Amino acid sequence: MTCIRTLVLGLAIALGTTSGRAQTPSTHTVRDTVIPATPAGNALRAWLDAFNSGDSTRMTAYTRTWEPSLAAGGAFVFRQQPGRRFDLLSIERSEPRHIEFVLRESRSPMISYGAIDVSAGERVSVVSRKLEPLGPDASIDELRISASDRARVIDRAPVLLDSFYVFPEVAKRVG
């Protein structure tokens, strides 16, 4: 099932990055990139501010407020290098409870693609936060596919699953 999940995630990222960007009011910018004033945008802003501060107290406060299910500091386990920061390059997709974005490590050419999903309800919290490295000086345009390529991949996926997946009954269901 892991292969299928990876395929579905890859397709979702490719399809998601080609959708139109939602235009929402903004109250905060980082390097000329506007973070929307939505629940998901607020979570991204809080995470970036805490991460970039390098201050363990701010990081713990973020975790308690936005990701209480994580152990204290769990939201920042990969922030081990002193001075490590992220610059927000773009918002690729923005919905009230979901946001996708591109970051660059401030002291390296590494580009990463991230997504945050937040809960509905009175007390908003992060239910999913992902950050995937794309590579040095990678371009988000390299992830985009044309409508015709997207249709071709989607049409071909069930055929390939049916032909090569180890469990034929699962392949037919997924296809």
Side-chain angles (χ1 to χ4, degrees), residues 25-159:
S26 156
T27 59
H28 186 74
T29 61
V30 177
R31 296 246 176 177
D32 299 327
T33 299
V34 177
I35 298 177
T38 63
N42 295 340
L44 171 60
R45 182 180 311 104
W47 181 81
L48 266 177
D49 288 346
F51 185 93
N52 286 344
S53 76
D55 178 14
S56 62
T57 303
R58 285 179 69 184
M59 289 185 251
T60 300
Y62 165 86
T63 303
R64 283 191 189 130
T65 303
W66 291 95
E67 298 187 38
S69 62
L70 293 178
F76 302 95
V77 291
F78 66 97
R79 195 191 192 302
Q80 297 171 357
Q81 297 172 330
R84 187 175 197 186
R85 297 176 47 86
F86 284 117
D87 296 325
L88 181 64
L89 298 181
S90 65
I91 301 294
E92 293 299 313
R93 184 172 172 197
S94 177
E95 299 168 8
R97 306 225 173 267
H98 175 82
I99 192 163
E100 296 175 24
F101 50 92
V102 178
L103 303 174
R104 175 188 297 272
E105 287 188 36
S106 62
R107 296 192 311 176
S108 85
M110 182 58 74
I111 303 293
S112 297
Y113 194 89
I116 293 177
D117 291 292
V118 298
S119 64
E122 201 171 299
R123 182 180 162 112
V124 176
S125 63
V126 173
V127 294
S128 171
R129 181 178 40 80
K130 295 177 176 47
L131 190 61
E132 295 292 328
L134 299 178
D137 295 319
S139 168
I140 194 66
D141 292 332
E142 295 167 6
L143 292 179
R144 292 193 173 97
I145 60 173
S146 68
S148 61
D149 286 344
R150 180 181 334 120
R152 187 173 40 81
V153 168
I154 291 170
D155 290 343
R156 186 82 173 123
V159 174

